[in-house]
Amino acid sequence: MTVFLVIIVLALLAVTGWQISKIFQLSKSHDADTSEVANDKDNKLHGILMLAFVIFLYVITIYCFWEYGRFYLPEAASEHGGEYDTLMFISIALIMFVQVITQGLLHYFAFKYKGKKTQKALFYADNDKLEFIWTIIPVIVLAGLIIYGLFTWSDIMNINEDEDPMVIELYAFQFDWRARYSGEDNTLGKANVRFIEGVNQLGVDESDSYGEDDKIVTELHLPVGKPVLFKFRSQDVLHSAYFPFFRAQMNVVPGMITQFGFTPTITTEEMRESEYMRDKVKSVNEERNQRNEALLAQGEPTLDSYEFDYFLLCNKICGQAHYNMQMKIIVESEEDFNAWLEEQPTFASNMAENSENVDRPEDTAGEQPPAAEGEEDAEGEDETETTPQENNGVALVEKEQN
């Protein structure tokens, strides 16, 4: 009923507007020009409007660059990031240069050569010289940009194996990440989603000796100045591994392994101490403090203070919780990284511990029967074995443990 009333109101408003337009037409003097053909006055007005619009466009463009340029990311935190940023800014400069000239000429000509009754348009068939100029110049510029881009892309994507990069697998699933370090042999063990069962959340092949020293973690640590080669796998749908501060991104495709490599150059602590990041943290915390005052007045929990951290994000809309699919990245000195990595358990030790827990009877096993399938035991935990199909979150337990 509400929708019907809304439709009626809109229809009445349309009729009212049409009647008002008729009244305006009837109120005009008898010598007014009622022709729908544009006259000199109309052409002059629209010529001025075209010129005013392009001026407004340039003013708002300059304002946006001035006001919102602070939202650009700071200096790249990877070795190849400088080349990436240079290529991007060259592209932006060329686009803005062409845009300013072409749009300016387009709107200026609309003003200068506006229609007049006493002026006849010039018929200009063709000019081979002009055609050559405005064809060959874009060809040369685009060819140079594409060739430069291809060389830059090749430098970024071709990993130098002679540098002995550290190999890390990044495993994506709805809606989280896991990192698998290749251990002392720097070789990842074989893995397949068919092997996913229980604590083996990444499907590592237990029969492959190379996987025994692999280490699976929920927080990515990287040593500064050390080349890293990432291998990407997806358990379910298409994801995209996005490292904004490192200027890196790679699609994570189900059923295949993609890869990307870079060398971190700025530690987390160094980035926190940069002028850009200090200003950003200060600005964010000021806004949070203002928000906290409103939350306190409403009796709601307040927001924590913001502190910068690198994050790995998913840049593909992969489902309902896509917005929160992220992994913390810590870039640190090689000594701190080695100390952290030494503390992480290996895949073999995790599997052995899990096997002991399964085989070893509990002290209270004789006092009460085991929980039935789908029911909770006396400790409030489900004893049912979790299969890959039943567990979309696949690694929440490990996250809590780590």
Side-chain angles (χ1 to χ4, degrees), residues 167-194:
V167 180
I168 301 175
E169 178 186 79
L170 289 175
Y171 186 80
F173 59 90
Q174 295 175 308
F175 298 95
D176 210 344
W177 297 92
R178 288 293 177 272
R180 178 161 65 111
Y181 289 81
S182 52
E184 295 182 1
D185 55 14
N186 204 30
T187 303
L188 291 168
K190 295 179 182 178
N192 193 298
V193 292
R194 296 183 179 88

Side-chain angles (χ1 to χ4, degrees), residues 322-341:
H322 154 76
Y323 73 96
N324 201 32
M325 183 172 170
Q326 55 186 273
M327 173 188 278
K328 183 178 177 180
I329 303 175
I330 296 178
V331 181
E332 55 196 353
S333 66
E334 190 165 359
E335 294 77 12
D336 292 340
F337 168 78
N338 290 334
W340 171 85
L341 189 62

Side-chain angles (χ1 to χ4, degrees), residues 74-355:
E75 176 189 359
S78 63
E79 197 172 84
H80 75 271
E83 300 178 59
Y84 179 97
D85 287 346
T86 300
L87 179 59
M88 185 186 71
F89 285 120
I90 289 176
S91 300
I92 291 177
L94 286 173
I95 291 170
M96 292 304 301
F97 176 76
V98 174
Q99 191 270 347
V100 167
I101 292 178
T102 56
Q103 293 298 317
L105 289 176
L106 174 66
H107 289 77
Y108 173 72
F109 287 161
F111 168 76
K112 181 175 176 59
Y113 300 107
K114 54 187 174 292
K116 295 180 182 178
K117 285 186 178 181
T118 58
Q119 180 175 297
K120 185 178 179 180
L122 173 65
F123 176 74
Y124 198 81
D126 60 75
N127 186 305
D128 293 340
K129 187 176 182 179
L130 283 177
E131 292 281 356
F132 178 80
I133 290 174
W134 66 49
T135 299
I136 197 65
I137 290 179
V139 168
I140 293 174
V141 173
L142 287 175
L145 185 63
I146 291 171
I147 291 172
Y148 174 58
L150 287 174
F151 277 106
T152 303
W153 173 257
S154 178
D155 290 341
I156 293 173
M157 293 301 297
N158 294 332
I159 307 300
N160 187 358
E161 299 291 345
D162 295 336
E163 296 180 354
D164 191 27
M166 180 173 60
V167 180
I168 301 175
E169 178 186 79
L170 289 175
Y171 186 80
F173 59 90
Q174 295 175 308
F175 298 95
D176 210 344
W177 297 92
R178 288 293 177 272
R180 178 161 65 111
Y181 289 81
S182 52
E184 295 182 1
D185 55 14
N186 204 30
T187 303
L188 291 168
K190 295 179 182 178
N192 193 298
V193 292
R194 296 183 179 88
F195 298 140
I196 296 177
E197 184 177 8
V199 297
N200 189 3
Q201 299 162 345
L202 272 60
V204 180
D205 188 351
E206 295 184 59
S207 64
D208 186 3
S209 60
Y210 284 114
E212 293 180 356
D213 61 348
D214 290 354
K215 298 183 177 184
I216 302 171
V217 297
T218 58
E219 187 175 86
L220 183 61
H221 285 238
L222 300 174
V224 66
K226 174 73 174 179
V228 183
L229 176 60
F230 294 100
K231 304 280 187 177
F232 302 97
R233 283 198 303 137
S234 172
Q235 176 177 296
D236 34 51
V237 299
L238 182 66
H239 299 278
S240 185
Y242 180 40
F243 308 78
F245 287 90
F246 302 96
R247 311 299 195 267
Q249 178 171 309
M250 178 56 66
N251 283 342
V252 187
V253 185
M256 67 180 296
I257 297 175
T258 55
Q259 68 177 35
F260 192 96
F262 62 80
T263 303
T265 56
I266 302 177
T267 66
T268 300
E269 290 299 327
E270 289 172 343
M271 183 61 77
R272 287 174 179 170
E273 293 302 319
S274 66
E275 181 179 357
Y276 170 94
M277 200 52 64
R278 287 201 303 267
D279 292 342
K280 178 180 178 180
V281 170
K282 179 181 178 181
S283 175
V284 171
N285 283 327
E286 286 176 353
E287 293 183 8
R288 290 196 175 189
N289 290 335
Q290 295 176 1
R291 176 61 178 159
N292 285 339
E293 293 178 2
L295 292 173
L296 284 172
Q298 298 170 6
E300 298 181 5
T302 57
L303 303 172
D304 295 331
S305 296
Y306 170 70
E307 183 179 40
F308 168 78
D309 276 304
Y310 294 121
F311 276 96
L312 166 64
L313 307 172
C314 178
N315 211 20
K316 285 284 188 295
I317 301 178
C318 57
Q320 186 176 12
H322 154 76
Y323 73 96
N324 201 32
M325 183 172 170
Q326 55 186 273
M327 173 188 278
K328 183 178 177 180
I329 303 175
I330 296 178
V331 181
E332 55 196 353
S333 66
E334 190 165 359
E335 294 77 12
D336 292 340
F337 168 78
N338 290 334
W340 171 85
L341 189 62
E342 187 68 26
E343 297 174 354
Q344 308 309 311
T346 63
F347 171 73
S349 63
N350 279 336
M351 296 303 294
E353 181 180 355
N354 178 69
S355 178

